[in-house]
Amino acid sequence: METPNLKMLAQQLKLSISTVSKALRDSHEIGEHTKKKVAALAKKLNYQPNPHASSLRKQKSKTIAVVIPEIANNFFSLAINGIESIAQERDYHVLIYLTHEDYTKEVNIIKHLQGGRVGGLIMSLSLATKKFDHLHELTKHNIPIVFFDRICHEIETAKVTTDDFQGGLAATEHLIINNSKHVAFASISNTISIDNKRMQGYLEAINKHQIKTSNTSIIKCSNNDTNNYNKFKKILSGKKAPDAIFASVEKLAVTIYEVCNDLNIKIPEQLKVICFSNLTTAHLMKPSLSAIKQPAFEMGKEAASILFKHLDKNRTFIPNEHIVIKSSLAARGSTAIK
Amino acid sequence: METPNLKMLAQQLKLSISTVSKALRDSHEIGEHTKKKVAALAKKLNYQPNPHASSLRKQKSKTIAVVIPEIANNFFSLAINGIESIAQERDYHVLIYLTHEDYTKEVNIIKHLQGGRVGGLIMSLSLATKKFDHLHELTKHNIPIVFFDRICHEIETAKVTTDDFQGGLAATEHLIINNSKHVAFASISNTISIDNKRMQGYLEAINKHQIKTSNTSIIKCSNNDTNNYNKFKKILSGKKAPDAIFASVEKLAVTIYEVCNDLNIKIPEQLKVICFSNLTTAHLMKPSLSAIKQPAFEMGKEAASILFKHLDKNRTFIPNEHIVIKSSLAARGSTAIK
DNA sequence: AAAATAGACTACAACGTTTTCGTAAATAAA
DNA sequence: TTTATTTACGAAAACGTTGTAGTCTATTTT
């Protein structure tokens, strides 16, 4: 079946293409009677304007890209949910790109996006990203970026995060108050912003409560589960094993649980565990997992709202702004006093 | 900064636009020397062809849509992961649309897609979808659909699922072999294909092993968690409570766990539970959750491969084909004999 | 030597919109 | 009545590509 276009409508109505176009967009130049007729036929034929022609002509598209490290992750899928909900409301379209925590992939995706496929993007950095030339380049090409969660300080734009410092502080204090004497912090990367902030919060709590630390207090993990497993195993079976760990991200807590299962270490009796997490089944785990829950959905919504607001106004430069949305601590079994 | 286009390259190289275009696409009409020069400048200026112009001219775009009910769900996010991995490989782009299990939203999304924004789509039906006019309409407009998981039999095209019947049979038999006497099936919807297949498997096992059933053996749930909670609560605290439930989908098992926690029903002693699931933390739950694990990632990859194969060849009609990828049963604590 | 062919390039139309500029008729102001 | 102004429409030029149909020179064939 032939997809209807303006020409087809114009012929059937014995009008010019421009009149039809204007009528559909409710221009004041067109009479009410004509508008009605055009709208009726458009509806009948289920006319949908060709988005490529429109984007080409207007030199902008109602499409954004979401560039994130991974999607099989509760935080990011909730964030997409938030982004998509706003996009659907505002008639924007959402392209998904996954970097898989790979710097080269991230660069290639960004390079490609310079072609003008999207009006802007919402992004969370890969763990491997330490240089930001590709991002500077993109903004130079008038494609704005809004960062969320793993933000990039080097780029002047809007950034949406949760209160990572406060969360880190609260998580650590929660462990301390619940009788932990040697609290460790498990970091997923020393480059990304949020990990750092959470560690700052951890350190603040450590200092405030004068908790003793050792050289294993800060456990430097990576994105490699096996390596992390071995590292935790070594530390937890060692002499100076901590009696509590605050894990920067969910996956580290999962690995810690696995190590504890295998080493027969009892949570929370021998080791208390808390982490940033959006697991829907945290309360059903053994033991139930205490967590700082990030407002992932809201963060996505906020990031999208900011971006769309600027795109709607043809503003390709977004001034610095840091939106912080509060997270909440859910105390559960993994940090209980027994 | 000005985004480079063919005209710009042509001017700098003192060549015509068409020469530059052809050189970049490695046409035999262009001499090697010229090709080199063009490629060099294109790289230097980081030229990216304008996708809208290209799509408009070629009347097709290397973009597909993924239309799914939700994303904050391990199965679907893994499937997207699979789709995206193939897309990135083949230089396709992926638009995400969520129906939130809402028929009207699904129809609107599909209607919009008729405009030609995408070359085809990968789709899993919403729970609420019982009519398929919008899908027929879309295929009439030469936009092919590949279904996965929640497939639509009415449309002639490729469909990718797991072996839902076998999975349902295996899950139910697993419960029976582990001494369950009254095995119930929790259904999420009586309209969607997979739920039905799983129930067929359940019924087959029930018949084969001559298990007695009652009017509460098939528990008709919906997408409303609260309603489901109350329904389970009523059944599990009733006289003829089952001693095992095979839940069609993950979220129902989660609700069952919650009900059991609240009613103090011990899993697996008093109630065994198994379900189709892709929870990464199934082994860390209390008790660990036995599950039929769907090959979500592979299903996504397969669906994407089929679609791209046809799009690359400009075939907008995809003949009927049903790809079935095996799922696997992981027996864990929730179905253990105690 | 004339004719055919190959090689390397250019001109131009088209894809479907949007938008600026015209223009004719109808109405209002002078 | 003459001159402005408003109303309602149409013509045509973009937007950046791609592909067809040339064009011109150099080489090969007859």
Side-chain angles (χ1 to χ4, degrees):
Chain A
M1 203 159 77
E2 204 76 41
T3 304
N5 55 22
L6 287 181
K7 192 176 171 187
M8 213 172 289
L9 295 188
Q11 279 170 351
Q12 291 198 34
L13 292 164
K14 297 195 164 66
L15 287 170
S16 76
I17 292 177
S18 29
T19 302
V20 176
S21 172
K22 287 173 191 166
L24 287 171
R25 321 178 73 256
D26 201 31
S27 160
H28 65 274
E29 294 183 60
I30 307 299
E32 286 307 319
H33 179 67
T34 313
K35 279 182 188 171
K36 288 252 164 64
K37 281 203 306 179
V38 172
L41 185 64
K43 181 155 194 183
K44 186 184 155 206
L45 299 186
N46 202 349
Y47 167 78
Q48 298 284 354
N50 182 309
H52 305 118
S54 185
S55 298
L56 175 60
R57 174 60 230 245
K58 293 200 290 195
Q59 289 291 79
K60 64 169 183 171
S61 75
K62 284 211 134 193
T63 306
I64 61 158
V66 174
V67 181
I68 53 176
E70 47 170 347
I71 196 170
N73 169 306
N74 298 290
F75 172 75
F76 286 117
S77 50
L78 281 170
I80 291 180
N81 214 336
I83 293 168
E84 207 272 349
S85 72
I86 299 286
Q88 207 161 115
E89 216 171 76
R90 309 248 260 169
D91 204 29
Y92 271 85
H93 300 258
V94 181
L95 282 165
I96 294 281
Y97 296 92
L98 306 179
T99 62
H100 297 283
E101 309 285 12
D102 183 314
Y103 173 68
T104 313
K105 278 210 172 115
E106 185 177 296
V107 171
N108 285 341
I109 292 165
I110 298 297
K111 278 239 174 85
H112 177 97
L113 257 19
Q114 256 161 242
R117 183 178 292 270
V118 298
L121 53 163
I122 295 177
M123 181 166 186
S124 204
L125 294 175
S126 105
L127 287 178
T129 304
K130 290 164 194 167
K131 288 168 58 189
F132 309 104
D133 294 1
H134 55 307
L135 305 175
H136 275 119
E137 185 77 3
L138 193 67
T139 51
K140 264 191 224 158
H141 281 270
N142 296 321
I143 299 180
I145 312 176
V146 171
F147 291 100
F148 76 104
D149 201 50
R150 305 211 204 141
I151 63 177
C152 172
H153 294 292
E154 270 79 358
I155 308 278
E156 188 179 347
T157 183
K159 291 134 194 174
V160 180
T161 66
T162 189
D163 50 347
D164 293 291
F165 176 84
Q166 287 299 330
L169 176 61
T172 313
E173 284 198 302
H174 173 69
L175 292 172
I176 294 169
I177 289 165
N178 283 11
N179 285 338
S180 302
K181 303 303 174 198
H182 180 181
V183 181
F185 173 68
S187 153
I188 186 77
S189 150
N190 54 350
T191 56
I192 62 169
S193 53
I194 50 166
D195 200 279
N196 233 278
K197 290 275 184 186
R198 290 170 191 178
M199 188 172 72
Q200 298 300 326
Y202 160 80
L203 291 173
E204 171 84 9
I206 292 295
N207 282 332
K208 187 172 160 189
H209 295 268
Q210 310 218 358
I211 298 295
K212 67 169 184 202
T213 56
S214 75
N215 56 337
T216 55
S217 287
I218 290 184
I219 308 169
K220 289 183 180 178
C221 300
S222 70
N223 199 40
N224 184 310
D225 292 338
T226 313
N227 289 354
N228 294 341
Y229 180 92
N230 292 330
K231 185 160 262 177
F232 283 127
K233 194 166 191 173
K234 194 172 167 194
I235 289 175
L236 289 175
S237 56
K239 261 192 164 179
K240 300 195 286 182
D243 62 356
I245 303 183
F246 160 38
S248 177
V249 297
E250 189 175 292
K251 68 183 297 185
L252 293 179
V254 168
T255 304
I256 293 170
Y257 265 57
E258 289 168 349
V259 170
C260 287
N261 275 349
D262 295 351
L263 293 183
N264 230 328
I265 295 174
K266 292 213 159 32
I267 308 176
E269 291 84 351
Q270 296 168 264
L271 181 74
K272 298 195 202 313
V273 179
I274 192 168
C275 68
F276 272 79
S277 169
N278 288 80
L279 266 181
T280 49
T281 53
H283 63 299
L284 298 178
M285 288 173 71
K286 181 183 177 180
S288 56
L289 175 65
S290 295
I292 311 283
K293 191 170 186 176
Q294 294 182 89
F297 185 79
E298 288 74 22
M299 287 168 72
K301 277 178 76 166
E302 186 64 33
S305 299
I306 295 174
L307 182 57
F308 296 156
K309 192 179 68 189
H310 284 84
L311 292 180
D312 280 345
K313 293 186 184 166
N314 282 332
R315 297 275 307 122
T316 63
F317 170 74
I318 302 180
N320 247 341
E321 179 183 17
H322 193 161
I323 314 285
V324 177
I325 308 180
K326 281 224 174 326
S327 51
S328 59
L329 191 155
R332 299 202 186 89
S334 67
T335 54
I337 308 177
K338 288 242 168 131
Chain B
M1 203 158 81
E2 205 76 39
T3 304
N5 56 21
L6 287 181
K7 192 174 170 190
M8 213 172 291
L9 295 188
Q11 278 171 350
Q12 291 199 34
L13 293 163
K14 295 196 165 69
L15 287 169
S16 76
I17 292 177
S18 23
T19 303
V20 177
S21 172
K22 284 172 188 165
L24 287 171
R25 318 173 78 254
D26 202 30
S27 159
H28 65 275
E29 293 182 61
I30 307 298
E32 285 308 319
H33 180 68
T34 313
K35 278 183 189 171
K36 288 251 164 66
K37 282 203 307 178
V38 172
L41 185 64
K43 181 155 194 185
K44 184 183 155 209
L45 298 186
N46 202 346
Y47 167 77
Q48 299 284 352
N50 182 310
H52 303 119
S54 186
S55 298
L56 175 61
R57 173 62 228 248
K58 295 199 289 196
Q59 289 291 78
K60 65 169 181 168
S61 75
K62 284 210 137 194
T63 306
I64 61 157
V66 174
V67 181
I68 53 175
E70 45 170 347
I71 196 170
N73 167 307
N74 298 290
F75 172 75
F76 287 116
S77 50
L78 280 169
I80 291 181
N81 214 338
I83 294 168
E84 206 271 349
S85 72
I86 299 287
Q88 207 160 113
E89 217 171 75
R90 308 250 257 166
D91 204 27
Y92 270 85
H93 300 258
V94 181
L95 281 164
I96 293 282
Y97 296 91
L98 306 179
T99 63
H100 296 283
E101 310 285 14
D102 182 314
Y103 173 68
T104 313
K105 277 208 173 116
E106 185 176 297
V107 171
N108 285 340
I109 291 165
I110 298 297
K111 278 240 174 84
H112 177 98
L113 257 20
Q114 257 161 244
R117 182 178 292 269
V118 298
L121 52 164
I122 295 177
M123 182 165 184
S124 203
L125 293 175
S126 106
L127 288 177
T129 304
K130 291 164 194 167
K131 289 168 57 189
F132 308 104
D133 294 0
H134 55 307
L135 304 175
H136 276 119
E137 184 78 5
L138 193 67
T139 51
K140 264 191 223 156
H141 281 269
N142 297 322
I143 298 179
I145 312 177
V146 171
F147 290 100
F148 77 105
D149 200 51
R150 306 210 205 142
I151 64 177
C152 173
H153 294 290
E154 272 78 358
I155 308 279
E156 188 179 347
T157 183
K159 290 135 195 173
V160 180
T161 67
T162 190
D163 49 348
D164 292 291
F165 176 84
Q166 288 299 330
L169 176 61
T172 313
E173 282 197 303
H174 174 70
L175 292 172
I176 293 169
I177 288 164
N178 284 10
N179 285 337
S180 301
K181 303 302 173 198
H182 180 181
V183 181
F185 173 68
S187 153
I188 186 76
S189 152
N190 54 352
T191 56
I192 62 169
S193 53
I194 49 165
D195 201 278
N196 233 278
K197 291 274 183 188
R198 289 169 191 179
M199 188 172 71
Q200 299 299 327
Y202 161 80
L203 291 173
E204 171 84 9
I206 292 294
N207 282 332
K208 187 171 160 192
H209 295 268
Q210 310 219 0
I211 297 295
K212 68 169 185 202
T213 57
S214 76
N215 57 337
T216 55
S217 287
I218 291 184
I219 308 170
K220 290 183 180 176
C221 300
S222 69
N223 199 40
N224 182 311
D225 292 338
T226 314
N227 289 354
N228 294 341
Y229 180 92
N230 292 330
K231 185 162 260 175
F232 283 128
K233 194 166 191 173
K234 194 171 166 193
I235 289 174
L236 289 176
S237 56
K239 261 191 162 179
K240 299 195 287 183
D243 63 354
I245 302 183
F246 160 37
S248 176
V249 297
E250 188 175 292
K251 67 183 297 182
L252 293 179
V254 168
T255 304
I256 292 170
Y257 265 57
E258 288 168 349
V259 170
C260 287
N261 275 349
D262 295 350
L263 293 183
N264 230 329
I265 295 173
K266 292 212 160 32
I267 307 175
E269 291 84 349
Q270 294 168 267
L271 181 74
K272 298 196 201 311
V273 178
I274 193 169
C275 67
F276 272 79
S277 169
N278 288 79
L279 265 182
T280 48
T281 52
H283 64 299
L284 297 179
M285 288 172 71
K286 181 183 175 178
S288 56
L289 176 65
S290 296
I292 312 283
K293 191 170 185 175
Q294 294 183 86
F297 185 79
E298 288 73 21
M299 288 168 71
K301 276 178 77 166
E302 186 64 33
S305 299
I306 295 174
L307 182 58
F308 296 155
K309 191 179 69 189
H310 284 85
L311 292 181
D312 280 345
K313 293 186 184 165
N314 282 334
R315 297 275 309 121
T316 63
F317 170 74
I318 302 179
N320 248 341
E321 178 185 17
H322 193 161
I323 314 285
V324 177
I325 308 179
K326 281 224 173 326
S327 52
S328 59
L329 192 155
R332 299 203 186 89
S334 66
T335 55
I337 308 177
K338 288 246 167 131

